[in-house]
Amino acid sequence: MTAPLLDIRGLTKSFAGHPVLADIDLQVQPGSMTAVVGASGCGKTTLLRLIAGFETPDAGTVAIAGRQVASPTTSVAPHRRGVGYVAQDGALFPHLTVGQNIAYGLRGDRASVRRRVDELLETVSLDPSYASRRPHQLSGGQQQRVALARALARQPVLMLLDEPFTALDTGLRAATRKAVAATLAETGVTTLLVTHDQEEALSIADQVAVMRDGHFTQVGSPQEVYRHPTDRFTAEFLGDCIAVPCVVTGGVADSVLGRVPVRANDGPGTLILRPEQLVATVVSDSGQLDGVGTVLAVEFLGHDVLLTVDPAGEGAPVVVRQHSLSPPPIDAKVRLQVIGDGVVLT
Ligand code: ADP
Ligand code: MG
């Protein structure tokens, strides 16, 4: 493993005696993207402001590219940290053109600044002709990309993005997210993005850090934190969960849903699965009814349907997510099958 580009150790911050960040550890590898995901008010912006240098930690350290930039007693000025920061409102200067916004902070003669602005516009997939426009003449997604270009202008080694896509509506959001992720990957700049949107974090990042009340509950790859959450909060925060009591013996969890492979020690616990891991197959009344459940409700969501199934009369109903083509009707008898492995929490 190479040395991390961003290395945060024991970072702690209170405002007026109210703890906001507690003992945060985070390493971000060069050229990668980490998403910090958490509910509103959990401390995400505060974390970015500490890294950028707009706040000083009460305890702990921040190192960027091997150089310590923050501790309770030492602080490197924000503009000397090699950090690009796109704040939550992403605000462009409304009275300046797009070109002037991007050129803000660039040095050199007019021609070289002009050339660099064109390059940066191209980098964020905007035509150079946009340089003469004012921010209000751009769509939300285009404004986001100009804000990114402005932050890239100083060639930061670390880019900090605070909920960059929140203001955009669904379609534009997915497209802008892809464009920005591609740009950042191309420029090779290490990125830390914060968001309250789980799907965004899971889809865009190489590493996801789940934040709750100023601490990380789990840090790992998107697949790891989604498929193998280490606690109930993380499991439920990242998506819908099925939770049923189980008993583990030799790496197999026995529950009302049958036998499911798990990585867990022997004993009782709670089996956690994602709704898409369950498949409900309709059975005819004539067969044997062992392990057969009843559909209690069908919720149409467009491309998916959620089936609420009473599993064989035992335990609480479970919710199955499947494609919405010809779902079983209410009261249908279904057999539930589990795909993949589960997680056991005790
Ligand atoms: P998030 O970005 O996750 O929504 P913030 O980091 O903005 O969360 O805020 C976390 C908590 O810290 C909130 O309770 C907020 O009110 C508080 N807070 C943030 N900045 C300050 C400040 N400068 N002074 C006092 N309290 C603050
Ligand atoms: Mg915030």
Side-chain angles (χ1 to χ4, degrees):
M1 191 120 82
T2 45
L5 186 113
L6 173 66
D7 194 357
I8 296 175
R9 307 268 171 178
L11 205 62
T12 300
K13 180 71 179 174
S14 297
F15 289 115
H18 173 72
V20 171
L21 292 182
D23 205 16
I24 294 278
D25 287 320
L26 185 68
Q27 281 77 45
V28 180
Q29 293 304 309
S32 72
M33 180 180 289
T34 291
V36 172
V37 59
S40 175
C42 75
K44 303 181 297 297
T45 296
T46 302
L47 174 63
L48 290 193
R49 289 176 57 82
L50 282 160
I51 299 166
F54 303 127
E55 304 283 355
T56 311
D58 299 336
T61 58
V62 177
I64 297 171
R67 178 172 67 132
Q68 185 175 303
V69 296
S71 77
T73 52
T74 59
S75 181
V76 172
H79 65 279
R80 295 186 189 281
R81 293 190 180 193
V83 165
Y85 184 51
V86 180
Q88 200 156 354
D89 50 22
L92 299 171
F93 304 119
H95 57 290
L96 299 182
T97 64
V98 164
Q100 288 165 337
N101 264 280
I102 296 173
Y104 191 85
L106 279 181
R107 286 192 198 157
D109 58 85
R110 276 182 68 141
S112 67
V113 167
R114 185 67 219 255
R115 220 176 310 120
R116 184 85 181 109
V117 167
D118 285 357
E119 263 173 37
L120 286 160
L121 279 170
E122 201 173 306
T123 303
V124 296
S125 309
L126 289 175
D127 192 85
S129 66
Y130 279 82
S132 57
R133 292 205 195 183
R134 304 258 169 193
H136 75 269
Q137 296 170 310
L138 303 179
S139 72
Q142 290 167 338
Q143 289 182 29
Q144 286 296 345
R145 285 187 272 156
V146 173
L148 180 67
R150 185 174 63 179
L152 284 169
R154 288 160 159 273
Q155 298 185 291
V157 294
L158 176 65
M159 183 65 82
L160 305 174
L161 302 176
D162 197 344
E163 311 227 17
F165 314 116
T166 306
L168 310 176
D169 49 61
T170 320
L172 189 57
R173 192 176 174 139
T176 308
R177 187 158 87 194
K178 264 195 191 151
V180 166
T183 298
L184 291 164
E186 234 165 72
T187 50
V189 60
T190 308
T191 303
L192 185 64
L193 170 146
V194 311
T195 179
H196 65 268
D197 184 325
Q198 299 81 348
E199 192 183 299
E200 184 164 295
L202 293 170
S203 70
I204 205 174
D206 304 300
Q207 175 175 255
V208 173
V210 180
M211 189 182 259
R212 179 190 197 183
D213 294 340
H215 70 275
F216 290 147
T217 58
Q218 192 172 355
V219 181
S221 71
Q223 290 78 4
E224 182 69 15
V225 294
Y226 182 76
R227 293 265 166 240
H228 296 282
T230 49
D231 65 284
R232 189 72 178 258
F233 172 85
T234 308
E236 289 178 347
F237 187 75
L238 292 177
D240 293 335
C241 287
I242 294 155
V244 293
C246 71
V247 176
V248 179
T249 318
V252 174
D254 227 315
S255 76
V256 60
L257 297 172
R259 292 160 60 79
V260 176
V262 292
R263 319 171 188 160
N265 296 328
D266 285 4
T270 301
L271 175 67
I272 305 283
L273 298 167
R274 296 298 183 187
E276 64 272 21
Q277 287 186 266
L278 289 185
V279 178
T281 321
V282 177
V283 295
S284 59
D285 292 11
S286 54
Q288 66 128 301
L289 290 180
D290 194 34
V292 167
T294 307
V295 176
L296 299 179
V298 181
E299 189 183 351
F300 180 68
L301 297 177
H303 53 18
D304 287 348
V305 66
L306 294 183
L307 306 176
T308 306
V309 178
D310 180 11
E314 278 179 70
V318 297
V319 176
V320 179
R321 178 186 284 270
Q322 62 181 42
H323 67 73
S324 60
L325 299 173
S326 53
I330 289 178
D331 286 339
K333 298 291 176 199
V334 292
R335 192 177 298 283
L336 292 177
Q337 186 196 341
V338 176
I339 308 170
D341 59 350
V343 164
V344 174
L345 300 176
T346 48

PDB file of all heavy atoms in Angstrom, residues 15-16 18 20 38-47 55 88 162-163 194 211, ligand 1:
ATOM      1  N   PHE A  15     -17.711  22.747  19.245  1.00  0.00           N
ATOM      2  CA  PHE A  15     -18.077  24.156  19.169  1.00  0.00           C
ATOM      3  C   PHE A  15     -18.791  24.516  20.450  1.00  0.00           C
ATOM      4  O   PHE A  15     -19.819  23.916  20.762  1.00  0.00           O
ATOM      5  CB  PHE A  15     -18.990  24.432  17.960  1.00  0.00           C
ATOM      6  CG  PHE A  15     -18.296  24.334  16.634  1.00  0.00           C
ATOM      7  CD1 PHE A  15     -18.650  23.338  15.725  1.00  0.00           C
ATOM      8  CD2 PHE A  15     -17.298  25.236  16.279  1.00  0.00           C
ATOM      9  CE1 PHE A  15     -18.027  23.252  14.483  1.00  0.00           C
ATOM     10  CE2 PHE A  15     -16.665  25.152  15.051  1.00  0.00           C
ATOM     11  CZ  PHE A  15     -17.022  24.157  14.156  1.00  0.00           C
ATOM     12  N   ALA A  16     -18.244  25.457  21.208  1.00  0.00           N
ATOM     13  CA  ALA A  16     -18.841  25.917  22.471  1.00  0.00           C
ATOM     14  C   ALA A  16     -19.200  24.733  23.371  1.00  0.00           C
ATOM     15  O   ALA A  16     -20.316  24.638  23.885  1.00  0.00           O
ATOM     16  CB  ALA A  16     -20.071  26.777  22.173  1.00  0.00           C
ATOM     17  N   HIS A  18     -19.845  21.785  22.644  1.00  0.00           N
ATOM     18  CA  HIS A  18     -20.692  20.765  22.021  1.00  0.00           C
ATOM     19  C   HIS A  18     -19.835  19.954  21.051  1.00  0.00           C
ATOM     20  O   HIS A  18     -19.369  20.480  20.042  1.00  0.00           O
ATOM     21  CB  HIS A  18     -21.849  21.465  21.293  1.00  0.00           C
ATOM     22  CG  HIS A  18     -22.697  20.552  20.469  1.00  0.00           C
ATOM     23  ND1 HIS A  18     -23.567  19.648  21.022  1.00  0.00           N
ATOM     24  CD2 HIS A  18     -22.779  20.394  19.122  1.00  0.00           C
ATOM     25  CE1 HIS A  18     -24.162  18.972  20.051  1.00  0.00           C
ATOM     26  NE2 HIS A  18     -23.705  19.406  18.898  1.00  0.00           N
ATOM     27  N   VAL A  20     -18.567  17.902  18.050  1.00  0.00           N
ATOM     28  CA  VAL A  20     -19.080  17.759  16.680  1.00  0.00           C
ATOM     29  C   VAL A  20     -18.344  16.640  15.941  1.00  0.00           C
ATOM     30  O   VAL A  20     -18.951  15.862  15.219  1.00  0.00           O
ATOM     31  CB  VAL A  20     -18.958  19.097  15.912  1.00  0.00           C
ATOM     32  CG1 VAL A  20     -19.272  18.917  14.436  1.00  0.00           C
ATOM     33  CG2 VAL A  20     -19.902  20.131  16.515  1.00  0.00           C
ATOM     34  N   GLY A  38     -23.351  10.783   5.541  1.00  0.00           N
ATOM     35  CA  GLY A  38     -23.996  10.848   6.846  1.00  0.00           C
ATOM     36  C   GLY A  38     -25.165  11.805   6.785  1.00  0.00           C
ATOM     37  O   GLY A  38     -25.277  12.617   5.861  1.00  0.00           O
ATOM     38  N   ALA A  39     -26.024  11.713   7.803  1.00  0.00           N
ATOM     39  CA  ALA A  39     -27.221  12.548   7.851  1.00  0.00           C
ATOM     40  C   ALA A  39     -26.835  14.011   8.040  1.00  0.00           C
ATOM     41  O   ALA A  39     -25.716  14.325   8.461  1.00  0.00           O
ATOM     42  CB  ALA A  39     -28.125  12.077   8.991  1.00  0.00           C
ATOM     43  N   SER A  40     -27.754  14.891   7.749  1.00  0.00           N
ATOM     44  CA  SER A  40     -27.540  16.323   7.929  1.00  0.00           C
ATOM     45  C   SER A  40     -27.206  16.615   9.398  1.00  0.00           C
ATOM     46  O   SER A  40     -27.828  16.066  10.300  1.00  0.00           O
ATOM     47  CB  SER A  40     -28.827  17.039   7.511  1.00  0.00           C
ATOM     48  OG  SER A  40     -28.708  18.392   7.781  1.00  0.00           O
ATOM     49  N   GLY A  41     -26.178  17.422   9.624  1.00  0.00           N
ATOM     50  CA  GLY A  41     -25.810  17.810  10.986  1.00  0.00           C
ATOM     51  C   GLY A  41     -24.836  16.877  11.671  1.00  0.00           C
ATOM     52  O   GLY A  41     -24.451  17.104  12.817  1.00  0.00           O
ATOM     53  N   CYS A  42     -24.376  15.808  10.990  1.00  0.00           N
ATOM     54  CA  CYS A  42     -23.509  14.824  11.669  1.00  0.00           C
ATOM     55  C   CYS A  42     -22.045  15.274  11.721  1.00  0.00           C
ATOM     56  O   CYS A  42     -21.235  14.661  12.404  1.00  0.00           O
ATOM     57  CB  CYS A  42     -23.645  13.444  11.043  1.00  0.00           C
ATOM     58  SG  CYS A  42     -22.830  13.269   9.455  1.00  0.00           S
ATOM     59  N   GLY A  43     -21.679  16.340  10.979  1.00  0.00           N
ATOM     60  CA  GLY A  43     -20.312  16.862  11.079  1.00  0.00           C
ATOM     61  C   GLY A  43     -19.507  16.841   9.794  1.00  0.00           C
ATOM     62  O   GLY A  43     -18.295  17.105   9.811  1.00  0.00           O
ATOM     63  N   LYS A  44     -20.153  16.575   8.654  1.00  0.00           N
ATOM     64  CA  LYS A  44     -19.433  16.420   7.384  1.00  0.00           C
ATOM     65  C   LYS A  44     -18.729  17.706   6.958  1.00  0.00           C
ATOM     66  O   LYS A  44     -17.550  17.693   6.602  1.00  0.00           O
ATOM     67  CB  LYS A  44     -20.410  15.973   6.273  1.00  0.00           C
ATOM     68  CG  LYS A  44     -21.157  14.688   6.593  1.00  0.00           C
ATOM     69  CD  LYS A  44     -22.074  14.268   5.466  1.00  0.00           C
ATOM     70  CE  LYS A  44     -23.196  15.248   5.154  1.00  0.00           C
ATOM     71  NZ  LYS A  44     -24.157  15.433   6.269  1.00  0.00           N
ATOM     72  N   THR A  45     -19.474  18.825   6.980  1.00  0.00           N
ATOM     73  CA  THR A  45     -18.876  20.104   6.555  1.00  0.00           C
ATOM     74  C   THR A  45     -17.747  20.498   7.499  1.00  0.00           C
ATOM     75  O   THR A  45     -16.694  20.984   7.058  1.00  0.00           O
ATOM     76  CB  THR A  45     -19.956  21.207   6.486  1.00  0.00           C
ATOM     77  OG1 THR A  45     -20.902  20.837   5.479  1.00  0.00           O
ATOM     78  CG2 THR A  45     -19.365  22.570   6.147  1.00  0.00           C
ATOM     79  N   THR A  46     -17.934  20.259   8.776  1.00  0.00           N
ATOM     80  CA  THR A  46     -16.888  20.579   9.760  1.00  0.00           C
ATOM     81  C   THR A  46     -15.609  19.813   9.436  1.00  0.00           C
ATOM     82  O   THR A  46     -14.501  20.376   9.500  1.00  0.00           O
ATOM     83  CB  THR A  46     -17.380  20.248  11.188  1.00  0.00           C
ATOM     84  OG1 THR A  46     -18.573  20.995  11.431  1.00  0.00           O
ATOM     85  CG2 THR A  46     -16.328  20.588  12.228  1.00  0.00           C
ATOM     86  N   LEU A  47     -15.742  18.550   9.061  1.00  0.00           N
ATOM     87  CA  LEU A  47     -14.571  17.748   8.696  1.00  0.00           C
ATOM     88  C   LEU A  47     -13.841  18.381   7.509  1.00  0.00           C
ATOM     89  O   LEU A  47     -12.608  18.551   7.547  1.00  0.00           O
ATOM     90  CB  LEU A  47     -15.000  16.311   8.365  1.00  0.00           C
ATOM     91  CG  LEU A  47     -13.898  15.385   7.832  1.00  0.00           C
ATOM     92  CD1 LEU A  47     -12.812  15.185   8.882  1.00  0.00           C
ATOM     93  CD2 LEU A  47     -14.482  14.035   7.404  1.00  0.00           C
ATOM     94  N   GLU A  55     -10.961  25.798  10.012  1.00  0.00           N
ATOM     95  CA  GLU A  55     -11.145  25.548  11.450  1.00  0.00           C
ATOM     96  C   GLU A  55      -9.882  24.871  11.959  1.00  0.00           C
ATOM     97  O   GLU A  55      -9.144  24.265  11.184  1.00  0.00           O
ATOM     98  CB  GLU A  55     -12.322  24.596  11.713  1.00  0.00           C
ATOM     99  CG  GLU A  55     -13.655  25.004  11.148  1.00  0.00           C
ATOM    100  CD  GLU A  55     -14.348  26.099  11.936  1.00  0.00           C
ATOM    101  OE1 GLU A  55     -13.825  26.493  13.017  1.00  0.00           O
ATOM    102  OE2 GLU A  55     -15.390  26.579  11.467  1.00  0.00           O
ATOM    103  N   GLN A  88     -20.533  23.984   0.050  1.00  0.00           N
ATOM    104  CA  GLN A  88     -21.855  23.374  -0.084  1.00  0.00           C
ATOM    105  C   GLN A  88     -22.752  24.151  -1.062  1.00  0.00           C
ATOM    106  O   GLN A  88     -23.443  23.559  -1.868  1.00  0.00           O
ATOM    107  CB  GLN A  88     -22.509  23.305   1.300  1.00  0.00           C
ATOM    108  CG  GLN A  88     -23.627  22.302   1.369  1.00  0.00           C
ATOM    109  CD  GLN A  88     -23.873  21.820   2.797  1.00  0.00           C
ATOM    110  OE1 GLN A  88     -23.146  22.152   3.722  1.00  0.00           O
ATOM    111  NE2 GLN A  88     -24.904  21.043   2.967  1.00  0.00           N
ATOM    112  N   ASP A 162     -18.215  19.544  -1.123  1.00  0.00           N
ATOM    113  CA  ASP A 162     -19.257  19.481  -0.098  1.00  0.00           C
ATOM    114  C   ASP A 162     -20.636  19.398  -0.736  1.00  0.00           C
ATOM    115  O   ASP A 162     -21.156  20.392  -1.234  1.00  0.00           O
ATOM    116  CB  ASP A 162     -19.169  20.719   0.807  1.00  0.00           C
ATOM    117  CG  ASP A 162     -19.923  20.510   2.114  1.00  0.00           C
ATOM    118  OD1 ASP A 162     -20.737  19.560   2.187  1.00  0.00           O
ATOM    119  OD2 ASP A 162     -19.700  21.294   3.055  1.00  0.00           O
ATOM    120  N   GLU A 163     -21.211  18.209  -0.734  1.00  0.00           N
ATOM    121  CA  GLU A 163     -22.537  17.946  -1.318  1.00  0.00           C
ATOM    122  C   GLU A 163     -22.700  18.632  -2.672  1.00  0.00           C
ATOM    123  O   GLU A 163     -23.638  19.402  -2.887  1.00  0.00           O
ATOM    124  CB  GLU A 163     -23.636  18.427  -0.346  1.00  0.00           C
ATOM    125  CG  GLU A 163     -23.406  17.926   1.079  1.00  0.00           C
ATOM    126  CD  GLU A 163     -24.635  17.346   1.720  1.00  0.00           C
ATOM    127  OE1 GLU A 163     -25.600  17.023   0.991  1.00  0.00           O
ATOM    128  OE2 GLU A 163     -24.626  17.194   2.945  1.00  0.00           O
ATOM    129  N   VAL A 194     -18.287  14.870   0.400  1.00  0.00           N
ATOM    130  CA  VAL A 194     -19.266  14.540   1.430  1.00  0.00           C
ATOM    131  C   VAL A 194     -20.670  14.646   0.854  1.00  0.00           C
ATOM    132  O   VAL A 194     -20.934  15.458  -0.035  1.00  0.00           O
ATOM    133  CB  VAL A 194     -19.130  15.388   2.724  1.00  0.00           C
ATOM    134  CG1 VAL A 194     -17.706  15.425   3.220  1.00  0.00           C
ATOM    135  CG2 VAL A 194     -19.705  16.771   2.555  1.00  0.00           C
ATOM    136  N   MET A 211     -20.661   8.201   8.407  1.00  0.00           N
ATOM    137  CA  MET A 211     -20.536   9.046   9.593  1.00  0.00           C
ATOM    138  C   MET A 211     -21.848   9.121  10.358  1.00  0.00           C
ATOM    139  O   MET A 211     -22.922   9.241   9.771  1.00  0.00           O
ATOM    140  CB  MET A 211     -20.103  10.459   9.186  1.00  0.00           C
ATOM    141  CG  MET A 211     -19.744  11.339  10.367  1.00  0.00           C
ATOM    142  SD  MET A 211     -19.299  13.018   9.863  1.00  0.00           S
ATOM    143  CE  MET A 211     -17.529  12.937   9.952  1.00  0.00           C
TER     144      MET A 211
HETATM  145  P1  ADP B   1     -23.193  18.474   8.190  1.00  0.00           P
HETATM  146  O1  ADP B   1     -22.333  19.139   7.178  1.00  0.00           O
HETATM  147  O2  ADP B   1     -22.966  17.009   8.326  1.00  0.00           O
HETATM  148  O3  ADP B   1     -24.645  18.772   7.988  1.00  0.00           O
HETATM  149  P2  ADP B   1     -21.929  20.339  10.038  1.00  0.00           P
HETATM  150  O4  ADP B   1     -20.500  19.952  10.086  1.00  0.00           O
HETATM  151  O5  ADP B   1     -22.293  21.515   9.223  1.00  0.00           O
HETATM  152  O6  ADP B   1     -22.807  19.065   9.628  1.00  0.00           O
HETATM  153  O7  ADP B   1     -22.423  20.605  11.509  1.00  0.00           O
HETATM  154  C1  ADP B   1     -22.291  19.651  12.552  1.00  0.00           C
HETATM  155  C2  ADP B   1     -22.765  20.273  13.844  1.00  0.00           C
HETATM  156  O8  ADP B   1     -21.868  21.302  14.227  1.00  0.00           O
HETATM  157  C3  ADP B   1     -24.140  20.914  13.767  1.00  0.00           C
HETATM  158  O9  ADP B   1     -24.809  20.634  14.968  1.00  0.00           O
HETATM  159  C4  ADP B   1     -23.836  22.376  13.615  1.00  0.00           C
HETATM  160  O10 ADP B   1     -24.861  23.143  14.150  1.00  0.00           O
HETATM  161  C5  ADP B   1     -22.550  22.526  14.427  1.00  0.00           C
HETATM  162  N1  ADP B   1     -21.678  23.611  13.940  1.00  0.00           N
HETATM  163  C6  ADP B   1     -21.062  23.648  12.729  1.00  0.00           C
HETATM  164  N2  ADP B   1     -20.301  24.756  12.621  1.00  0.00           N
HETATM  165  C7  ADP B   1     -20.452  25.450  13.765  1.00  0.00           C
HETATM  166  C8  ADP B   1     -19.909  26.704  14.283  1.00  0.00           C
HETATM  167  N3  ADP B   1     -19.068  27.445  13.558  1.00  0.00           N
HETATM  168  N4  ADP B   1     -20.301  27.079  15.508  1.00  0.00           N
HETATM  169  C9  ADP B   1     -21.132  26.322  16.246  1.00  0.00           C
HETATM  170  N5  ADP B   1     -21.662  25.155  15.843  1.00  0.00           N
HETATM  171  C10 ADP B   1     -21.336  24.716  14.614  1.00  0.00           C
END
